[in-house]
Amino acid sequence: MRTQTRSEQIGTMLQTLSQALAACDARDFELVIRLAEQQEAELAAFMSSRSDLAQLAQSEKLQLEQVIAQRQVVQQRISEWIAQMREEMQTVSQNSRLLKTYTS
């Protein structure tokens, strides 16, 4: 098995993050969690194999900035998703209380 280059490793992380964004849009919680864990493992492997990040080529630094930006977007989408679910749960709870009040 051939070892991935740094650029290939970063490309793999970007691809995983892209899939995670699509899973967020599809509201596929299990897939989002699996892809987030996979991306964390990919990043950990990348970081542990790099003793000096200052030696990265400029293009690789730009790609890593993309990884960071995509991670932030995924985290933001998850946060928005959680807030939406919280609102929906509050609405259900309020409706349940109203139903109990007016049917009793």
Side-chain angles (χ1 to χ4, degrees):
M1 183 175 144
R2 162 179 102 72
T3 304
Q4 284 186 315
T5 65
R6 290 187 295 225
S7 289
E8 289 172 337
Q9 286 179 305
I10 296 168
T12 299
M13 287 187 277
L14 286 169
Q15 183 178 14
T16 301
L17 287 165
S18 177
Q19 292 170 351
L21 285 172
C24 282
D25 291 341
R27 301 286 196 236
D28 186 340
F29 181 74
E30 290 180 15
L31 183 57
V32 169
I33 296 302
R34 186 175 56 79
L35 290 169
E37 289 173 350
Q38 178 182 333
Q39 198 282 318
E40 286 292 326
E42 291 167 353
L43 183 59
F46 178 84
M47 296 302 286
S48 69
S49 68
R50 306 294 164 241
S51 59
D52 189 3
L53 292 176
Q55 294 178 347
L56 292 175
Q58 185 63 26
S59 62
E60 292 168 338
K61 289 178 184 179
L62 292 174
Q63 285 180 308
L64 278 178
E65 287 175 8
Q66 286 180 309
V67 167
I68 292 167
Q70 288 294 317
R71 285 171 56 96
Q72 290 172 337
V73 170
V74 169
Q75 291 170 355
Q76 181 62 35
R77 295 250 179 103
I78 291 170
S79 176
E80 291 167 0
W81 186 6
I82 290 169
Q84 182 182 8
M85 288 179 9
R86 185 176 295 124
E87 288 175 19
E88 290 172 2
M89 289 173 62
Q90 288 173 345
T91 300
V92 168
S93 177
Q94 290 169 354
N95 289 343
S96 177
R97 278 185 262 147
L98 285 172
L99 185 62
K100 285 180 185 177
T101 300
Y102 291 108
T103 58
S104 297

PDB file of all heavy atoms in Angstrom, residues 7-46:
ATOM      1  N   SER A   7      -0.576  16.441   0.191  1.00  0.00           N
ATOM      2  CA  SER A   7      -1.683  17.005  -0.588  1.00  0.00           C
ATOM      3  C   SER A   7      -2.829  16.016  -0.711  1.00  0.00           C
ATOM      4  O   SER A   7      -3.999  16.394  -0.637  1.00  0.00           O
ATOM      5  CB  SER A   7      -1.208  17.436  -1.972  1.00  0.00           C
ATOM      6  OG  SER A   7      -0.387  18.575  -1.876  1.00  0.00           O
ATOM      7  N   GLU A   8      -2.498  14.743  -0.899  1.00  0.00           N
ATOM      8  CA  GLU A   8      -3.547  13.724  -0.986  1.00  0.00           C
ATOM      9  C   GLU A   8      -4.272  13.571   0.346  1.00  0.00           C
ATOM     10  O   GLU A   8      -5.495  13.418   0.380  1.00  0.00           O
ATOM     11  CB  GLU A   8      -2.949  12.386  -1.422  1.00  0.00           C
ATOM     12  CG  GLU A   8      -2.514  12.353  -2.872  1.00  0.00           C
ATOM     13  CD  GLU A   8      -1.749  11.098  -3.246  1.00  0.00           C
ATOM     14  OE1 GLU A   8      -1.158  10.442  -2.353  1.00  0.00           O
ATOM     15  OE2 GLU A   8      -1.740  10.769  -4.437  1.00  0.00           O
ATOM     16  N   GLN A   9      -3.520  13.630   1.443  1.00  0.00           N
ATOM     17  CA  GLN A   9      -4.141  13.533   2.763  1.00  0.00           C
ATOM     18  C   GLN A   9      -5.098  14.700   2.986  1.00  0.00           C
ATOM     19  O   GLN A   9      -6.208  14.510   3.478  1.00  0.00           O
ATOM     20  CB  GLN A   9      -3.079  13.527   3.869  1.00  0.00           C
ATOM     21  CG  GLN A   9      -2.323  12.233   3.989  1.00  0.00           C
ATOM     22  CD  GLN A   9      -1.280  12.316   5.086  1.00  0.00           C
ATOM     23  OE1 GLN A   9      -0.427  13.212   5.077  1.00  0.00           O
ATOM     24  NE2 GLN A   9      -1.354  11.408   6.031  1.00  0.00           N
ATOM     25  N   ILE A  10      -4.666  15.892   2.618  1.00  0.00           N
ATOM     26  CA  ILE A  10      -5.512  17.068   2.783  1.00  0.00           C
ATOM     27  C   ILE A  10      -6.738  16.957   1.873  1.00  0.00           C
ATOM     28  O   ILE A  10      -7.855  17.268   2.281  1.00  0.00           O
ATOM     29  CB  ILE A  10      -4.710  18.362   2.507  1.00  0.00           C
ATOM     30  CG1 ILE A  10      -3.597  18.521   3.550  1.00  0.00           C
ATOM     31  CG2 ILE A  10      -5.632  19.578   2.528  1.00  0.00           C
ATOM     32  CD1 ILE A  10      -2.579  19.596   3.205  1.00  0.00           C
ATOM     33  N   GLY A  11      -6.522  16.478   0.655  1.00  0.00           N
ATOM     34  CA  GLY A  11      -7.639  16.275  -0.272  1.00  0.00           C
ATOM     35  C   GLY A  11      -8.660  15.293   0.277  1.00  0.00           C
ATOM     36  O   GLY A  11      -9.874  15.489   0.134  1.00  0.00           O
ATOM     37  N   THR A  12      -8.176  14.245   0.912  1.00  0.00           N
ATOM     38  CA  THR A  12      -9.068  13.260   1.538  1.00  0.00           C
ATOM     39  C   THR A  12      -9.883  13.906   2.644  1.00  0.00           C
ATOM     40  O   THR A  12     -11.089  13.667   2.761  1.00  0.00           O
ATOM     41  CB  THR A  12      -8.249  12.069   2.091  1.00  0.00           C
ATOM     42  OG1 THR A  12      -7.569  11.437   1.008  1.00  0.00           O
ATOM     43  CG2 THR A  12      -9.134  11.055   2.789  1.00  0.00           C
ATOM     44  N   MET A  13      -9.239  14.753   3.459  1.00  0.00           N
ATOM     45  CA  MET A  13      -9.963  15.448   4.526  1.00  0.00           C
ATOM     46  C   MET A  13     -11.034  16.371   3.948  1.00  0.00           C
ATOM     47  O   MET A  13     -12.161  16.420   4.454  1.00  0.00           O
ATOM     48  CB  MET A  13      -8.995  16.253   5.409  1.00  0.00           C
ATOM     49  CG  MET A  13      -8.150  15.402   6.317  1.00  0.00           C
ATOM     50  SD  MET A  13      -7.165  16.384   7.476  1.00  0.00           S
ATOM     51  CE  MET A  13      -5.749  16.803   6.455  1.00  0.00           C
ATOM     52  N   LEU A  14     -10.695  17.084   2.886  1.00  0.00           N
ATOM     53  CA  LEU A  14     -11.673  17.977   2.250  1.00  0.00           C
ATOM     54  C   LEU A  14     -12.849  17.192   1.684  1.00  0.00           C
ATOM     55  O   LEU A  14     -14.002  17.622   1.782  1.00  0.00           O
ATOM     56  CB  LEU A  14     -11.001  18.820   1.161  1.00  0.00           C
ATOM     57  CG  LEU A  14     -10.100  19.944   1.657  1.00  0.00           C
ATOM     58  CD1 LEU A  14      -9.290  20.535   0.504  1.00  0.00           C
ATOM     59  CD2 LEU A  14     -10.919  21.025   2.348  1.00  0.00           C
ATOM     60  N   GLN A  15     -12.564  16.039   1.105  1.00  0.00           N
ATOM     61  CA  GLN A  15     -13.629  15.201   0.558  1.00  0.00           C
ATOM     62  C   GLN A  15     -14.550  14.707   1.676  1.00  0.00           C
ATOM     63  O   GLN A  15     -15.770  14.714   1.530  1.00  0.00           O
ATOM     64  CB  GLN A  15     -13.031  14.027  -0.209  1.00  0.00           C
ATOM     65  CG  GLN A  15     -14.072  13.151  -0.864  1.00  0.00           C
ATOM     66  CD  GLN A  15     -13.445  12.005  -1.658  1.00  0.00           C
ATOM     67  OE1 GLN A  15     -12.267  11.714  -1.525  1.00  0.00           O
ATOM     68  NE2 GLN A  15     -14.241  11.376  -2.475  1.00  0.00           N
ATOM     69  N   THR A  16     -13.972  14.280   2.779  1.00  0.00           N
ATOM     70  CA  THR A  16     -14.773  13.810   3.916  1.00  0.00           C
ATOM     71  C   THR A  16     -15.641  14.940   4.455  1.00  0.00           C
ATOM     72  O   THR A  16     -16.820  14.739   4.763  1.00  0.00           O
ATOM     73  CB  THR A  16     -13.854  13.258   5.029  1.00  0.00           C
ATOM     74  OG1 THR A  16     -13.072  12.185   4.496  1.00  0.00           O
ATOM     75  CG2 THR A  16     -14.656  12.758   6.219  1.00  0.00           C
ATOM     76  N   LEU A  17     -15.071  16.138   4.545  1.00  0.00           N
ATOM     77  CA  LEU A  17     -15.843  17.281   5.025  1.00  0.00           C
ATOM     78  C   LEU A  17     -16.975  17.637   4.068  1.00  0.00           C
ATOM     79  O   LEU A  17     -18.077  17.997   4.490  1.00  0.00           O
ATOM     80  CB  LEU A  17     -14.918  18.486   5.250  1.00  0.00           C
ATOM     81  CG  LEU A  17     -14.026  18.373   6.478  1.00  0.00           C
ATOM     82  CD1 LEU A  17     -12.911  19.407   6.429  1.00  0.00           C
ATOM     83  CD2 LEU A  17     -14.849  18.533   7.746  1.00  0.00           C
ATOM     84  N   SER A  18     -16.715  17.517   2.789  1.00  0.00           N
ATOM     85  CA  SER A  18     -17.759  17.772   1.791  1.00  0.00           C
ATOM     86  C   SER A  18     -18.909  16.775   1.962  1.00  0.00           C
ATOM     87  O   SER A  18     -20.084  17.148   1.900  1.00  0.00           O
ATOM     88  CB  SER A  18     -17.163  17.663   0.385  1.00  0.00           C
ATOM     89  OG  SER A  18     -18.154  17.826  -0.593  1.00  0.00           O
ATOM     90  N   GLN A  19     -18.573  15.525   2.206  1.00  0.00           N
ATOM     91  CA  GLN A  19     -19.599  14.510   2.446  1.00  0.00           C
ATOM     92  C   GLN A  19     -20.362  14.806   3.741  1.00  0.00           C
ATOM     93  O   GLN A  19     -21.573  14.602   3.807  1.00  0.00           O
ATOM     94  CB  GLN A  19     -18.964  13.126   2.515  1.00  0.00           C
ATOM     95  CG  GLN A  19     -18.403  12.642   1.200  1.00  0.00           C
ATOM     96  CD  GLN A  19     -17.571  11.371   1.345  1.00  0.00           C
ATOM     97  OE1 GLN A  19     -17.273  10.923   2.449  1.00  0.00           O
ATOM     98  NE2 GLN A  19     -17.192  10.785   0.220  1.00  0.00           N
ATOM     99  N   ALA A  20     -19.649  15.305   4.750  1.00  0.00           N
ATOM    100  CA  ALA A  20     -20.305  15.653   6.014  1.00  0.00           C
ATOM    101  C   ALA A  20     -21.285  16.806   5.823  1.00  0.00           C
ATOM    102  O   ALA A  20     -22.377  16.802   6.399  1.00  0.00           O
ATOM    103  CB  ALA A  20     -19.262  16.006   7.080  1.00  0.00           C
ATOM    104  N   LEU A  21     -20.905  17.784   5.004  1.00  0.00           N
ATOM    105  CA  LEU A  21     -21.821  18.893   4.710  1.00  0.00           C
ATOM    106  C   LEU A  21     -23.074  18.388   4.008  1.00  0.00           C
ATOM    107  O   LEU A  21     -24.193  18.809   4.330  1.00  0.00           O
ATOM    108  CB  LEU A  21     -21.131  19.952   3.853  1.00  0.00           C
ATOM    109  CG  LEU A  21     -20.139  20.852   4.573  1.00  0.00           C
ATOM    110  CD1 LEU A  21     -19.380  21.719   3.575  1.00  0.00           C
ATOM    111  CD2 LEU A  21     -20.858  21.718   5.593  1.00  0.00           C
ATOM    112  N   ALA A  22     -22.902  17.488   3.056  1.00  0.00           N
ATOM    113  CA  ALA A  22     -24.052  16.919   2.350  1.00  0.00           C
ATOM    114  C   ALA A  22     -24.932  16.134   3.323  1.00  0.00           C
ATOM    115  O   ALA A  22     -26.163  16.196   3.243  1.00  0.00           O
ATOM    116  CB  ALA A  22     -23.582  16.030   1.201  1.00  0.00           C
ATOM    117  N   ALA A  23     -24.323  15.422   4.244  1.00  0.00           N
ATOM    118  CA  ALA A  23     -25.083  14.669   5.243  1.00  0.00           C
ATOM    119  C   ALA A  23     -25.839  15.616   6.178  1.00  0.00           C
ATOM    120  O   ALA A  23     -26.969  15.319   6.574  1.00  0.00           O
ATOM    121  CB  ALA A  23     -24.149  13.760   6.043  1.00  0.00           C
ATOM    122  N   CYS A  24     -25.236  16.756   6.503  1.00  0.00           N
ATOM    123  CA  CYS A  24     -25.937  17.768   7.311  1.00  0.00           C
ATOM    124  C   CYS A  24     -27.166  18.263   6.565  1.00  0.00           C
ATOM    125  O   CYS A  24     -28.250  18.381   7.144  1.00  0.00           O
ATOM    126  CB  CYS A  24     -25.025  18.952   7.612  1.00  0.00           C
ATOM    127  SG  CYS A  24     -23.838  18.696   8.916  1.00  0.00           S
ATOM    128  N   ASP A  25     -26.997  18.559   5.292  1.00  0.00           N
ATOM    129  CA  ASP A  25     -28.113  19.045   4.483  1.00  0.00           C
ATOM    130  C   ASP A  25     -29.222  18.001   4.390  1.00  0.00           C
ATOM    131  O   ASP A  25     -30.403  18.341   4.356  1.00  0.00           O
ATOM    132  CB  ASP A  25     -27.641  19.437   3.079  1.00  0.00           C
ATOM    133  CG  ASP A  25     -26.756  20.676   3.089  1.00  0.00           C
ATOM    134  OD1 ASP A  25     -26.781  21.436   4.088  1.00  0.00           O
ATOM    135  OD2 ASP A  25     -26.029  20.886   2.093  1.00  0.00           O
ATOM    136  N   ALA A  26     -28.834  16.730   4.369  1.00  0.00           N
ATOM    137  CA  ALA A  26     -29.801  15.632   4.290  1.00  0.00           C
ATOM    138  C   ALA A  26     -30.362  15.263   5.666  1.00  0.00           C
ATOM    139  O   ALA A  26     -31.231  14.394   5.767  1.00  0.00           O
ATOM    140  CB  ALA A  26     -29.157  14.412   3.645  1.00  0.00           C
ATOM    141  N   ARG A  27     -29.836  15.899   6.709  1.00  0.00           N
ATOM    142  CA  ARG A  27     -30.248  15.624   8.087  1.00  0.00           C
ATOM    143  C   ARG A  27     -30.038  14.154   8.469  1.00  0.00           C
ATOM    144  O   ARG A  27     -30.848  13.537   9.130  1.00  0.00           O
ATOM    145  CB  ARG A  27     -31.709  16.014   8.325  1.00  0.00           C
ATOM    146  CG  ARG A  27     -32.030  17.468   8.068  1.00  0.00           C
ATOM    147  CD  ARG A  27     -31.464  18.314   9.196  1.00  0.00           C
ATOM    148  NE  ARG A  27     -32.049  19.638   9.213  1.00  0.00           N
ATOM    149  CZ  ARG A  27     -31.335  20.760   9.164  1.00  0.00           C
ATOM    150  NH1 ARG A  27     -30.028  20.692   9.092  1.00  0.00           N
ATOM    151  NH2 ARG A  27     -31.914  21.926   9.208  1.00  0.00           N
ATOM    152  N   ASP A  28     -28.900  13.620   8.024  1.00  0.00           N
ATOM    153  CA  ASP A  28     -28.537  12.232   8.315  1.00  0.00           C
ATOM    154  C   ASP A  28     -27.552  12.246   9.488  1.00  0.00           C
ATOM    155  O   ASP A  28     -26.334  12.286   9.309  1.00  0.00           O
ATOM    156  CB  ASP A  28     -27.914  11.581   7.076  1.00  0.00           C
ATOM    157  CG  ASP A  28     -27.654  10.099   7.254  1.00  0.00           C
ATOM    158  OD1 ASP A  28     -27.585   9.619   8.413  1.00  0.00           O
ATOM    159  OD2 ASP A  28     -27.514   9.408   6.226  1.00  0.00           O
ATOM    160  N   PHE A  29     -28.111  12.226  10.697  1.00  0.00           N
ATOM    161  CA  PHE A  29     -27.320  12.379  11.906  1.00  0.00           C
ATOM    162  C   PHE A  29     -26.227  11.321  12.029  1.00  0.00           C
ATOM    163  O   PHE A  29     -25.078  11.634  12.323  1.00  0.00           O
ATOM    164  CB  PHE A  29     -28.235  12.335  13.138  1.00  0.00           C
ATOM    165  CG  PHE A  29     -27.512  12.511  14.433  1.00  0.00           C
ATOM    166  CD1 PHE A  29     -27.044  13.761  14.814  1.00  0.00           C
ATOM    167  CD2 PHE A  29     -27.281  11.432  15.270  1.00  0.00           C
ATOM    168  CE1 PHE A  29     -26.362  13.927  16.018  1.00  0.00           C
ATOM    169  CE2 PHE A  29     -26.603  11.596  16.461  1.00  0.00           C
ATOM    170  CZ  PHE A  29     -26.142  12.843  16.832  1.00  0.00           C
ATOM    171  N   GLU A  30     -26.576  10.059  11.794  1.00  0.00           N
ATOM    172  CA  GLU A  30     -25.602   8.981  11.948  1.00  0.00           C
ATOM    173  C   GLU A  30     -24.430   9.140  10.978  1.00  0.00           C
ATOM    174  O   GLU A  30     -23.275   8.929  11.351  1.00  0.00           O
ATOM    175  CB  GLU A  30     -26.272   7.624  11.759  1.00  0.00           C
ATOM    176  CG  GLU A  30     -27.208   7.274  12.899  1.00  0.00           C
ATOM    177  CD  GLU A  30     -27.880   5.924  12.727  1.00  0.00           C
ATOM    178  OE1 GLU A  30     -27.425   5.129  11.876  1.00  0.00           O
ATOM    179  OE2 GLU A  30     -28.844   5.671  13.452  1.00  0.00           O
ATOM    180  N   LEU A  31     -24.735   9.532   9.736  1.00  0.00           N
ATOM    181  CA  LEU A  31     -23.672   9.725   8.755  1.00  0.00           C
ATOM    182  C   LEU A  31     -22.797  10.923   9.116  1.00  0.00           C
ATOM    183  O   LEU A  31     -21.575  10.870   8.989  1.00  0.00           O
ATOM    184  CB  LEU A  31     -24.262   9.893   7.348  1.00  0.00           C
ATOM    185  CG  LEU A  31     -23.258  10.041   6.205  1.00  0.00           C
ATOM    186  CD1 LEU A  31     -22.305   8.854   6.152  1.00  0.00           C
ATOM    187  CD2 LEU A  31     -23.992  10.214   4.884  1.00  0.00           C
ATOM    188  N   VAL A  32     -23.414  11.992   9.595  1.00  0.00           N
ATOM    189  CA  VAL A  32     -22.649  13.172  10.013  1.00  0.00           C
ATOM    190  C   VAL A  32     -21.664  12.790  11.110  1.00  0.00           C
ATOM    191  O   VAL A  32     -20.485  13.142  11.050  1.00  0.00           O
ATOM    192  CB  VAL A  32     -23.576  14.313  10.488  1.00  0.00           C
ATOM    193  CG1 VAL A  32     -22.784  15.418  11.165  1.00  0.00           C
ATOM    194  CG2 VAL A  32     -24.386  14.873   9.334  1.00  0.00           C
ATOM    195  N   ILE A  33     -22.143  12.056  12.095  1.00  0.00           N
ATOM    196  CA  ILE A  33     -21.286  11.645  13.211  1.00  0.00           C
ATOM    197  C   ILE A  33     -20.156  10.757  12.715  1.00  0.00           C
ATOM    198  O   ILE A  33     -18.987  10.944  13.072  1.00  0.00           O
ATOM    199  CB  ILE A  33     -22.112  10.921  14.303  1.00  0.00           C
ATOM    200  CG1 ILE A  33     -23.130  11.879  14.923  1.00  0.00           C
ATOM    201  CG2 ILE A  33     -21.203  10.316  15.365  1.00  0.00           C
ATOM    202  CD1 ILE A  33     -22.530  13.129  15.536  1.00  0.00           C
ATOM    203  N   ARG A  34     -20.483   9.783  11.858  1.00  0.00           N
ATOM    204  CA  ARG A  34     -19.448   8.866  11.341  1.00  0.00           C
ATOM    205  C   ARG A  34     -18.389   9.632  10.545  1.00  0.00           C
ATOM    206  O   ARG A  34     -17.182   9.416  10.716  1.00  0.00           O
ATOM    207  CB  ARG A  34     -20.089   7.779  10.473  1.00  0.00           C
ATOM    208  CG  ARG A  34     -19.095   6.712  10.037  1.00  0.00           C
ATOM    209  CD  ARG A  34     -19.756   5.576   9.282  1.00  0.00           C
ATOM    210  NE  ARG A  34     -20.514   5.972   8.116  1.00  0.00           N
ATOM    211  CZ  ARG A  34     -19.978   6.273   6.927  1.00  0.00           C
ATOM    212  NH1 ARG A  34     -18.672   6.244   6.762  1.00  0.00           N
ATOM    213  NH2 ARG A  34     -20.736   6.601   5.912  1.00  0.00           N
ATOM    214  N   LEU A  35     -18.849  10.543   9.685  1.00  0.00           N
ATOM    215  CA  LEU A  35     -17.901  11.318   8.868  1.00  0.00           C
ATOM    216  C   LEU A  35     -17.082  12.277   9.720  1.00  0.00           C
ATOM    217  O   LEU A  35     -15.893  12.485   9.447  1.00  0.00           O
ATOM    218  CB  LEU A  35     -18.651  12.068   7.762  1.00  0.00           C
ATOM    219  CG  LEU A  35     -19.225  11.176   6.658  1.00  0.00           C
ATOM    220  CD1 LEU A  35     -20.164  11.971   5.765  1.00  0.00           C
ATOM    221  CD2 LEU A  35     -18.115  10.528   5.847  1.00  0.00           C
ATOM    222  N   ALA A  36     -17.686  12.858  10.743  1.00  0.00           N
ATOM    223  CA  ALA A  36     -16.941  13.752  11.636  1.00  0.00           C
ATOM    224  C   ALA A  36     -15.841  12.971  12.360  1.00  0.00           C
ATOM    225  O   ALA A  36     -14.706  13.450  12.478  1.00  0.00           O
ATOM    226  CB  ALA A  36     -17.885  14.417  12.630  1.00  0.00           C
ATOM    227  N   GLU A  37     -16.168  11.784  12.817  1.00  0.00           N
ATOM    228  CA  GLU A  37     -15.163  10.942  13.485  1.00  0.00           C
ATOM    229  C   GLU A  37     -14.055  10.555  12.507  1.00  0.00           C
ATOM    230  O   GLU A  37     -12.868  10.558  12.863  1.00  0.00           O
ATOM    231  CB  GLU A  37     -15.820   9.692  14.067  1.00  0.00           C
ATOM    232  CG  GLU A  37     -16.694   9.973  15.265  1.00  0.00           C
ATOM    233  CD  GLU A  37     -17.483   8.760  15.738  1.00  0.00           C
ATOM    234  OE1 GLU A  37     -17.509   7.724  15.016  1.00  0.00           O
ATOM    235  OE2 GLU A  37     -18.083   8.847  16.812  1.00  0.00           O
ATOM    236  N   GLN A  38     -14.447  10.210  11.280  1.00  0.00           N
ATOM    237  CA  GLN A  38     -13.467   9.839  10.253  1.00  0.00           C
ATOM    238  C   GLN A  38     -12.534  11.016   9.967  1.00  0.00           C
ATOM    239  O   GLN A  38     -11.316  10.850   9.886  1.00  0.00           O
ATOM    240  CB  GLN A  38     -14.191   9.413   8.976  1.00  0.00           C
ATOM    241  CG  GLN A  38     -13.262   9.064   7.837  1.00  0.00           C
ATOM    242  CD  GLN A  38     -14.025   8.688   6.572  1.00  0.00           C
ATOM    243  OE1 GLN A  38     -15.153   8.226   6.627  1.00  0.00           O
ATOM    244  NE2 GLN A  38     -13.404   8.911   5.429  1.00  0.00           N
ATOM    245  N   GLN A  39     -13.103  12.205   9.849  1.00  0.00           N
ATOM    246  CA  GLN A  39     -12.291  13.381   9.541  1.00  0.00           C
ATOM    247  C   GLN A  39     -11.352  13.711  10.704  1.00  0.00           C
ATOM    248  O   GLN A  39     -10.208  14.095  10.489  1.00  0.00           O
ATOM    249  CB  GLN A  39     -13.205  14.574   9.201  1.00  0.00           C
ATOM    250  CG  GLN A  39     -12.509  15.687   8.464  1.00  0.00           C
ATOM    251  CD  GLN A  39     -11.666  16.558   9.365  1.00  0.00           C
ATOM    252  OE1 GLN A  39     -12.067  16.909  10.457  1.00  0.00           O
ATOM    253  NE2 GLN A  39     -10.486  16.918   8.895  1.00  0.00           N
ATOM    254  N   GLU A  40     -11.831  13.541  11.924  1.00  0.00           N
ATOM    255  CA  GLU A  40     -10.972  13.757  13.095  1.00  0.00           C
ATOM    256  C   GLU A  40      -9.787  12.799  13.065  1.00  0.00           C
ATOM    257  O   GLU A  40      -8.659  13.192  13.344  1.00  0.00           O
ATOM    258  CB  GLU A  40     -11.768  13.569  14.396  1.00  0.00           C
ATOM    259  CG  GLU A  40     -12.716  14.684  14.709  1.00  0.00           C
ATOM    260  CD  GLU A  40     -12.031  15.987  15.054  1.00  0.00           C
ATOM    261  OE1 GLU A  40     -10.941  15.973  15.667  1.00  0.00           O
ATOM    262  OE2 GLU A  40     -12.583  17.039  14.707  1.00  0.00           O
ATOM    263  N   ALA A  41     -10.044  11.544  12.722  1.00  0.00           N
ATOM    264  CA  ALA A  41      -8.971  10.545  12.639  1.00  0.00           C
ATOM    265  C   ALA A  41      -7.988  10.909  11.529  1.00  0.00           C
ATOM    266  O   ALA A  41      -6.768  10.775  11.705  1.00  0.00           O
ATOM    267  CB  ALA A  41      -9.557   9.156  12.413  1.00  0.00           C
ATOM    268  N   GLU A  42      -8.525  11.365  10.390  1.00  0.00           N
ATOM    269  CA  GLU A  42      -7.657  11.771   9.275  1.00  0.00           C
ATOM    270  C   GLU A  42      -6.767  12.944   9.685  1.00  0.00           C
ATOM    271  O   GLU A  42      -5.562  12.954   9.402  1.00  0.00           O
ATOM    272  CB  GLU A  42      -8.499  12.169   8.060  1.00  0.00           C
ATOM    273  CG  GLU A  42      -9.224  11.021   7.410  1.00  0.00           C
ATOM    274  CD  GLU A  42     -10.288  11.458   6.418  1.00  0.00           C
ATOM    275  OE1 GLU A  42     -10.575  12.670   6.299  1.00  0.00           O
ATOM    276  OE2 GLU A  42     -10.854  10.572   5.752  1.00  0.00           O
ATOM    277  N   LEU A  43      -7.354  13.908  10.371  1.00  0.00           N
ATOM    278  CA  LEU A  43      -6.577  15.078  10.804  1.00  0.00           C
ATOM    279  C   LEU A  43      -5.527  14.679  11.842  1.00  0.00           C
ATOM    280  O   LEU A  43      -4.389  15.136  11.773  1.00  0.00           O
ATOM    281  CB  LEU A  43      -7.505  16.159  11.363  1.00  0.00           C
ATOM    282  CG  LEU A  43      -6.840  17.461  11.777  1.00  0.00           C
ATOM    283  CD1 LEU A  43      -6.107  18.116  10.597  1.00  0.00           C
ATOM    284  CD2 LEU A  43      -7.866  18.420  12.355  1.00  0.00           C
ATOM    285  N   ALA A  44      -5.907  13.811  12.764  1.00  0.00           N
ATOM    286  CA  ALA A  44      -4.957  13.351  13.785  1.00  0.00           C
ATOM    287  C   ALA A  44      -3.786  12.617  13.136  1.00  0.00           C
ATOM    288  O   ALA A  44      -2.623  12.833  13.517  1.00  0.00           O
ATOM    289  CB  ALA A  44      -5.655  12.454  14.802  1.00  0.00           C
ATOM    290  N   ALA A  45      -4.088  11.781  12.149  1.00  0.00           N
ATOM    291  CA  ALA A  45      -3.027  11.053  11.444  1.00  0.00           C
ATOM    292  C   ALA A  45      -2.121  12.031  10.697  1.00  0.00           C
ATOM    293  O   ALA A  45      -0.892  11.881  10.703  1.00  0.00           O
ATOM    294  CB  ALA A  45      -3.623  10.038  10.478  1.00  0.00           C
ATOM    295  N   PHE A  46      -2.712  13.016  10.078  1.00  0.00           N
ATOM    296  CA  PHE A  46      -1.933  14.016   9.348  1.00  0.00           C
ATOM    297  C   PHE A  46      -1.014  14.769  10.302  1.00  0.00           C
ATOM    298  O   PHE A  46       0.174  14.937  10.038  1.00  0.00           O
ATOM    299  CB  PHE A  46      -2.868  14.992   8.624  1.00  0.00           C
ATOM    300  CG  PHE A  46      -2.140  16.071   7.880  1.00  0.00           C
ATOM    301  CD1 PHE A  46      -1.648  15.843   6.604  1.00  0.00           C
ATOM    302  CD2 PHE A  46      -1.935  17.325   8.452  1.00  0.00           C
ATOM    303  CE1 PHE A  46      -0.970  16.836   5.908  1.00  0.00           C
ATOM    304  CE2 PHE A  46      -1.262  18.313   7.764  1.00  0.00           C
ATOM    305  CZ  PHE A  46      -0.777  18.073   6.492  1.00  0.00           C
TER     306      PHE A  46
END
